[in-house]
Amino acid sequence: MATQLRLRSALSLVTGAGSGIGRAVCARLAGEGATVAACDLDGAAARETVQLLGGPGSEEGAPRGNHAAFQADVSEARAARSLLQQVQACFSRPPSVVVSCAGITRDEFLLQMSEDDWDRVIAVNLKGIFLVTQAAAQALVSSGSHGSIINISSIVGKVGNMGQANYAASKAGVIGLTQTAARELGRHGIRCNSVLPGFIATPMTQKMPQKVKDKVTGMIPMGHMGNPEDVADVVAFLASEDSGYITGASVEVTGGLFM
């Protein structure tokens, strides 16, 4: 971790903050000095994340030390808009760093995949990121503030993966959405980048059969799966002014997988 606090004046909103990459991102940004608004569909998990950041317990939406927890289903437009309103009401400003980590899987081979499984993954992984990105950008533009929006995609969105047609499509969409947002929002001083994790040790990948994990690990040039902190390190860089001239980029964090 950098010794200087690169984000000491930043308010960071992180979705999917209740576990895995989202929780690691919250810890990394807080460690850089940022104030963190941690949001998750599971409100209790978001509050637990905030407690791990060092603040005392309190009610949802109320600051714990410098941080606060929020509950929202980002796939719903009203909830996404309300989330940004709640964060602004809580901290009296819009978030200058927005990291969309919320995501789900409903794996099945294409020939058997149900419409419901397709729709739900697209709704959370792609529509949810669109809604949060839009609401955050609107808040930043309205206030005349600059910001950094970082959307978590996946290497699967670039190369595909068997049994994950819905997930791959959603994550590919995140890349295109982010690149387009970068083009539109650059003139407002808002940078937009995506991060493409490979196989990272999270609750999502823990559901994989051990023989599949062993096979995947054998394909990674660095010889092991990544940790959530590996992704969080890249997010912190993209959130900071150290990446001030980077926008529209897709940064792969894969240990060399699919290079």
Side-chain angles (χ1 to χ4, degrees):
M1 183 180 293
T3 55
Q4 66 184 87
L5 302 180
R6 296 181 294 182
L7 301 173
R8 71 179 71 190
S9 63
L11 170 60
S12 302
L13 169 61
V14 181
T15 70
S19 65
I21 291 172
R23 177 169 284 179
V25 166
C26 289
R28 187 68 169 85
L29 298 182
E32 289 273 9
T35 299
V36 175
C39 174
D40 201 276
L41 179 62
D42 184 343
R47 291 191 291 274
E48 182 178 340
T49 293
V50 169
Q51 289 171 346
L52 291 172
L53 301 183
S58 65
E59 296 301 315
E60 178 182 317
R64 297 180 176 92
N66 293 325
H67 313 296
F70 300 86
Q71 187 278 331
D73 181 349
V74 296
S75 70
E76 297 181 358
R78 182 179 299 178
R81 289 193 296 267
S82 177
L83 171 62
L84 267 295
Q85 292 168 356
Q86 291 176 55
V87 171
Q88 288 191 86
C90 184
F91 295 101
S92 301
R93 55 178 170 142
S96 58
V97 174
V98 178
V99 188
S100 286
C101 301
I104 64 170
T105 58
R106 287 191 177 181
D107 296 349
E108 182 56 271
F109 288 114
L110 178 65
L111 293 177
Q112 287 83 39
M113 183 172 290
S114 69
E115 183 179 1
D116 180 66
D117 283 349
W118 172 272
D119 287 346
R120 188 56 188 158
V121 169
I122 296 295
V124 176
N125 295 7
L126 180 54
K127 181 184 175 184
I129 285 185
F130 157 69
L131 291 172
V132 172
T133 297
Q134 182 185 57
Q138 289 170 340
L140 287 168
V141 171
S142 295
S143 67
S145 303
H146 293 182
S148 176
I149 296 174
I150 302 153
N151 295 325
I152 303 301
S153 177
S154 169
I155 192 63
V156 170
K158 181 179 177 181
V159 303
N161 193 37
M162 290 184 64
Q164 291 193 307
N166 49 5
Y167 187 77
S170 70
K171 293 301 188 177
V174 169
I175 297 170
L177 166 65
T178 305
Q179 291 172 330
T180 300
R183 289 179 177 271
E184 295 185 7
L185 299 175
R187 65 182 181 273
H188 298 290
I190 301 170
R191 298 184 296 110
C192 302
N193 295 288
S194 58
V195 178
L196 282 58
F199 287 89
I200 308 296
T202 67
M204 187 178 292
T205 56
Q206 286 172 1
K207 299 176 183 177
M208 297 166 57
Q210 187 60 47
K211 65 178 181 179
V212 175
K213 288 192 283 188
D214 291 342
K215 181 178 179 180
V216 168
T217 301
M219 297 167 59
I220 300 172
M222 293 191 70
H224 61 87
M225 295 178 69
N227 295 313
E229 290 75 18
D230 296 322
V231 181
D233 288 344
V234 175
V235 170
F237 167 70
L238 292 173
S240 76
E241 284 305 311
D242 285 351
S243 60
Y245 198 57
I246 298 176
T247 194
S250 300
V251 183
E252 299 178 15
V253 186
T254 68
L257 185 65
F258 300 125
M259 64 182 177

